[in-house]
Amino acid sequence: METVLTGLILIVDDIPTNLDVISEALSNAGYKVAIATSGERALQQVKRRLPDMILLDVMMPGIDGFETCQRLKADPETCNIPIIFMTAMADVDSKIKGFNLGAVDYITKPFQEQEVLARVKINLQLRFLNQNLEQQVAQKTAALQAAQLQIIQREKLSALGNLVAGVAHEISNPVGFLAGNIQPALNYIKDLLGMLDLVQQESAHFSPAIAEEIAAIDLEYIREDLPKLITSMSEGVKRIKDISNSLRIYARVDSSRATTFNIHDGIDTTIMILKHRLKASGSRPEIQIIKEYGDISSIECFPGQLNQVFMNILANAIDAVEESNHERSFTEIKINPNQIKIKTELSQDMQQVIIHIKDNGVGMEKSVKSHIFDHLFTTKALGKGTGLGLAIASQIIIEKHGGTIEVDSVLGEGTEFIITLPIKAE
Ligand SMILES: Nc1ncnc2c1ncn2[C@@H]1O[C@H](COP(=O)(O)OP(=O)(O)O)[C@@H](O)[C@H]1O
Ligand SMILES: [Mg+2]
C-alpha cells in the first residue's frame, strides 16, 4: 500500500543543526514540519496544534525528553501522539527507557536520512491506520447501540401492545353483558314501577306498616331517581366500550404484511388515549383538537406502527403547547387557545395521503429542527424525553411505509409535521 501520508511532524531538539538536518529531510519528503527548541516549548506548541508525530531529543536543558514524553502521555489530549526518540547510537539505556515511557520507536544520531524517513513513514502509517480503526469502531459501536435501543423500544412496545390488546379483549365480554342487560333492566324497572302505580291506585288505604315503609324509603324519590341512575350507568358502560374499542384499534399487533386500515380511526383512537392530557384540569388550560379529514378510504399499511407515529407526534405537540403555556398569560391563552390541527387529504395524483399535524406550541430553533429525527436527540428534561419518538416515527414512515416526513417550525409560533404515505404498500 503506497499511500503518501503528509502529517504534521513536530521536531524537538535544542541543537539547531539537528533541527535543520531533520526538518529539511522531512520537508523534502513532503511532510509538514514544526520545530521546538525545548521540552517546555514543545508542550506549549502541542496545545496549539496537535501534531501527528513527535520526534523528541532525549538530552535537553530544562525538562529533558523523558520528562516531556511523560507529560505528553499524562494528558488525554496528547497521549495518543506517537513519539520517536532521537538518541545517540550507543545509548541502549535511553532507548529502553524511551520505550518504557511509551515511545513507538527511536532514531539514532548521527542521522541516517533514509532510516529516519523509513521510520517516520511506517509509524505515521500505523498512526493513521489506528485512527481509522478507532473511528470505525466508534461508528460501528454507535450504530449498534442505536439499533439495540430501537429493538428494545420495539420489544417493549410490542409487549405493551399485546398487553393492552389482551386487556381490551378481556374487558369487552363483561362490558358486553352490562351493555346488553342495562336496557332490559330499565324496562323491568319501568314495569315494576307501573305495577306499583296500579297497586297504589287500586287500594286507597295501605296498612300502617306499608305506609310507614313507603315514607321511610321515600318511594317518590326512588321512582324519580332510579331511571336516571340507570341511564347514567348506561352512559358509563358506553364510554368503557368506546375506550376498550379504541385500545383494541390502537394496540393492533401488526402482522408482517401490510393490511388495510382507516388512518382516521388510528388518529381518533390515539386522541382518545391522549384525552387526559387534552382536557382542562386545575390551572391547566384545555388543548383543542381541530380535525379536518379529507375523503380518504383505507390505505395499505402497518396500523399498529402508524398509531405509534401518531402517538409520538401528538405527544410532542402536547408537550410543545404545554411548554408555551408557561410563557403565556391567561388572557393570551384565551384569545389564542391551545390548538392542534389535524388535516388529511389526498395528493393530486391520488396515490398518497398527506397528513398535517400542526400545533401552536413553542416551535423550535433551526439548530434543534435539524436534529429532531436523530436518535436520542431531546431537549426535554431527563426522564421526560427519550429522544426516540421522532427517530422511530421517521423510520416507520420512511423505511417501513415508503413515505416521507417533514417538519416546518417557527420559534414561538408552532410546528407542523407533514407526513405522506402511499395508499398502496409497495
Ligand atoms: N411539536 C414540536 N414542537 C416543538 N419541538 C418539538 C416538537 N416535536 C419535537 N420537538 C423537538 O424534537 C425533539 C425530539 O423529539 P422526540 O424524538 O419525540 O424525543 P422526545 O420527545 O423524547 O424529546 C424534542 O425534544 C423537541 O425538542
Ligand atoms: Mg417525543
Side-chain angles (χ1 to χ4, degrees), residues 316-317 320 359 363-364 368 372 377-380 385-391 415 417:
N316 282 343
D359 65 67
M364 340 172 193
V368 169
I372 55 170
F377 176 83
T378 180
T379 56
K380 294 171 194 170
T386 60
L388 287 175
L390 290 178
T415 301
F417 281 89

